[in-house]
């Protein structure tokens, strides 16, 4: 009997842990990696969710276009008062006049109710083209959604690596502050020993203050960038946003070929432009179809009654034809307008093709340039570190001045900044190439569950929080 309460307690604890795990997926206090940020953004970004609604809107538009081809049944009714009594049904003559004639009832107050039926038979091809246009509009909505998804992935990736760059700059600034603090202590000791002028201490204080200011500015930049990222991923909760930074990707890895035809086949915006051209071609043909006759079948069934509500039934069936003869040039003007829209869309498609070709070339050039800068800046950082060490030793031995040490520290922070900027530019260039090729997908380090942020990273990474600033 004692086991039953324990089982109940265990089941309740398991349910609580499961619920807390599900809630933690979107909790702002959870540490987010790049893939987790992208998954959160896909679920919560307002612009992306609006494009999803646009797809649903176009789905309903397609249903409406398909329904236009189907028969329609309506029920009508009303009341009419005439000055003179009116017949409820037509006069029926089956033989000689006045010999076998059915005279209807005449009433001044007439009540009527009918069920009407209509079926479009031919409308110059506009019915089928209307469905085709609706399908193309839905396809365009999907292409625009994919384009916004690629833009979102690109922007989140860019801001994420910008945070990584700023975090590296913050580490460099902190190292510079520590180095200048150590140099200031050396300058102060030399001043007390009488081996250095007071000017060395003043220079050390000035450069230390400037280094602290740069560290503060870098911290403020990190805070502002995190707010930008919060807005980008659609995070409404103002709680803590903890980012797990990992910029250890291979810098000189192989990248995809900048194939223009492949990009045109994969780019969602180019697909949307092509579908827009097709849609406008259908609209031109649909506008020309207005010059052809409209043919539809029609019928009704119902009755009329007077004040005694004794309804007299009647029905009708027929085929109607409507042929436009003269409309003051309205149809011609509509055809010309659609043709101009088509010409404009073709130019937009051509302009987009040229822009894609330019994006591919610029991305490839940026990757090559960034690779070269990374190689040079790595050597510059190593050289600057050694120069700082040498100048510091020389100053302690009295072989140089405080200016030499300060210049070496400035060269080191400058080389580290150049190196971090080159790495950031390489990340963005690769992302730009993927975006230009239409292959801006989720990163390879997506969570195994694919549902939320990682709380236990696979390798040690450095978190950026408000406290680290």
């Amino acid at each position: 009997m004692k086991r039953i309460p324990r089982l109940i307690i265990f089941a309740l604890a398991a349910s609580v842990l499961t619920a807390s795990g599900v809630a933690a997926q979107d909790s702002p206090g959870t540490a987010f990696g790049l893939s987790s940020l992208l998954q959160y953004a896909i679920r919560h970004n307002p612009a992306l969710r609006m494009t999803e609604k646009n797809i649903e809107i176009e789905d309903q538009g397609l249903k409406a276009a398909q329904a236009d081809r189907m028969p329609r049944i309506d029920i009508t009714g009303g009341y009419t008062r005439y000055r003179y009594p009116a017949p409820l049904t037509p006069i029926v003559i089956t033989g000689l006049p006045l010999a076998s004639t059915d005279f209807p009832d005449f009433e001044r107050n007439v009540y009527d109710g009918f069920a009407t039926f209509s079926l479009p038979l031919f409308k110059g091809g506009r019915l089928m083209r209307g469905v085709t246009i609706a399908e193309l509009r839905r396809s365009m909505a999907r292409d625009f959604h994919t384009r916004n998804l690629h833009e979102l992935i690109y922007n989140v990736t860019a801001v994420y690596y910008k945070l990584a760059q700023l975090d590296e700059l913050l580490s460099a600034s902190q190292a510079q502050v520590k180095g200048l603090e150590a140099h200031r202590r050396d300058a102060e000791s030399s001043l007390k020993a009488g081996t250095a002028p007071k000017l060395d201490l003043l220079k050390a204080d000035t450069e230390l203050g400037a280094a602290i200011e740069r560290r503060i500015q870098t911290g403020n930049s990190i805070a502002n960038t995190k707010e930008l990222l919060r807005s980008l991923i659609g995070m409404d909760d103002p709680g803590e946003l903890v980012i797990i930074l990992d910029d250890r990707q291979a810098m000189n890895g192989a990248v995809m070929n900048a194939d223009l035809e492949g990009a045109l086949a994969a780019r969602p915006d180019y697909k949307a432009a092509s579908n827009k051209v097709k849609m406008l071609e259908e609209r031109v043909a649909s506008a020309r179809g207005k010059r052809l006759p409209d043919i539809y079948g029609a019928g009704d069934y119902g009755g009329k009654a007077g004040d005694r509500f004794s309804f007299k039934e009647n029905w009708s069936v027929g085929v109607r034809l409507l042929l436009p003869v003269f409309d003051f040039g309205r149809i011609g003007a509509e055809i010309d307008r659609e043709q101009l829209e088509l010409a404009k869309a073709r130019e937009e498609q051509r302009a987009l093709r040229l822009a894609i070709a330019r994006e591919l070339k610029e991305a490839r050039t940026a990757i090559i340039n960034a690779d070269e800068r990374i190689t040079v800046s790595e050597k510059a950082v190593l050289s600057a570190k050694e120069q700082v060490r040498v100048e510091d030793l020389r100053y302690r031995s009295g072989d140089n001045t405080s200016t030499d040490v300060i210049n070496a520290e400035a060269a080191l922070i400058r080389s580290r900044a150049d190196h971090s900027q080159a790495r950031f530019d390489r990340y963005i260039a690769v992302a730009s190439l993927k975006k230009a090729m239409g292959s801006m997908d989720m990163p390879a380090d997506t969570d195994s569950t694919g549902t939320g942020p990682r709380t236990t990273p696979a390798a040690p990474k450095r978190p950026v929080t408000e406290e680290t600033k």
Side-chain angles (χ1 to χ4, degrees), residues 124-185:
R126 296 197 302 278
L127 294 174
M128 294 296 298
R129 296 188 189 280
V131 175
T132 303
I133 291 173
E135 290 175 345
L136 290 171
R137 287 177 62 91
R138 183 179 63 177
S139 179
M140 290 172 59
R142 290 174 176 173
D143 292 333
F144 286 136
H145 175 266
T146 305
R147 181 200 63 182
N148 284 9
L149 175 61
H150 289 185
E151 290 283 350
L152 178 62
I153 294 176
Y154 174 81
N155 292 332
V156 172
T157 302
V159 176
Y160 175 84
Y161 284 121
K162 188 63 179 178
L163 275 174
Q165 180 199 3
L166 291 174
D167 182 63
E168 186 175 347
L169 288 178
L170 182 62
S171 299
S173 298
Q174 291 172 344
Q176 185 188 25
V177 169
K178 291 181 180 179
L180 289 175
E181 286 176 345
H183 173 66
R184 184 190 182 282
R185 289 192 295 269

Side-chain angles (χ1 to χ4, degrees), residues 21 97 237 344 468:
D237 197 317
K344 176 184 174 183
T468 60

Side-chain angles (χ1 to χ4, degrees), residues 175-391:
Q176 185 188 25
V177 169
K178 291 181 180 179
L180 289 175
E181 286 176 345
H183 173 66
R184 184 190 182 282
R185 289 192 295 269
D186 293 339
E188 187 176 12
S189 299
S190 299
L191 178 63
K192 291 180 180 179
T195 58
K198 187 176 182 180
L199 181 61
D200 286 358
L201 182 60
L202 296 177
K203 289 182 179 180
D205 287 335
T206 301
E207 291 301 323
L208 179 59
I212 294 175
E213 182 180 358
R214 283 193 294 270
R215 184 180 62 182
I216 294 174
Q217 291 176 350
T218 304
N220 292 336
S221 299
I222 290 177
N224 294 334
T225 305
K226 288 181 66 175
E227 288 303 315
L228 173 62
L229 183 60
R230 184 192 301 274
S231 174
L232 193 60
I233 66 177
M235 181 176 287
D236 297 319
D237 197 317
E240 176 74 9
L241 178 60
V242 182
I243 307 298
I244 300 297
L245 297 176
D246 181 14
D247 58 350
R248 299 172 302 159
Q249 295 183 9
M251 284 290 101
N252 297 316
V255 295
M256 64 181 66
N257 294 324
D259 180 21
L260 178 58
E261 296 302 323
L264 296 179
R267 282 280 291 257
D269 50 353
Y270 193 79
K271 291 180 181 179
S274 301
N275 287 330
K276 184 178 181 180
V277 171
K278 295 177 183 178
M279 182 191 70
L280 290 173
E281 289 174 348
E282 294 292 333
R283 288 177 57 174
V284 170
S286 179
R288 288 173 177 167
K290 291 184 177 181
R291 287 176 171 170
L292 300 177
D294 291 351
I295 302 175
Y296 59 93
D300 60 39
Y301 175 82
K304 294 182 179 180
D307 293 333
R308 292 173 295 177
F309 290 97
S310 178
F311 279 88
K312 303 295 182 179
E313 68 172 359
N314 197 4
W315 57 268
S316 66
V317 176
V319 176
R320 306 293 296 176
L321 181 144
L322 175 63
L323 178 63
V325 177
F326 182 71
D327 61 355
F328 290 93
R330 179 175 181 178
I331 295 178
E334 185 174 349
I335 294 174
D336 293 340
R337 184 188 64 188
E338 297 297 344
Q339 288 177 336
L340 291 173
E341 291 285 350
L342 175 59
K344 176 184 174 183
R346 285 173 175 166
E347 290 299 324
E348 291 175 351
Q349 184 184 21
R350 176 172 171 268
L352 181 58
R353 181 188 180 95
L354 296 174
I356 292 174
R358 175 179 53 80
E359 290 175 9
L360 292 174
K361 293 180 180 179
E362 289 179 350
R364 293 290 299 181
T365 303
I367 291 175
I368 296 173
N369 178 269
D371 287 338
E372 295 175 352
R373 288 164 53 203
I374 288 173
T375 302
V376 173
S377 60
E378 285 177 346
K379 296 178 180 179
V381 170
L382 295 177
S383 176
K385 287 181 178 180
E386 181 64 18
Q387 184 68 23
V388 168
R389 188 185 68 85
V390 171
E391 294 297 339

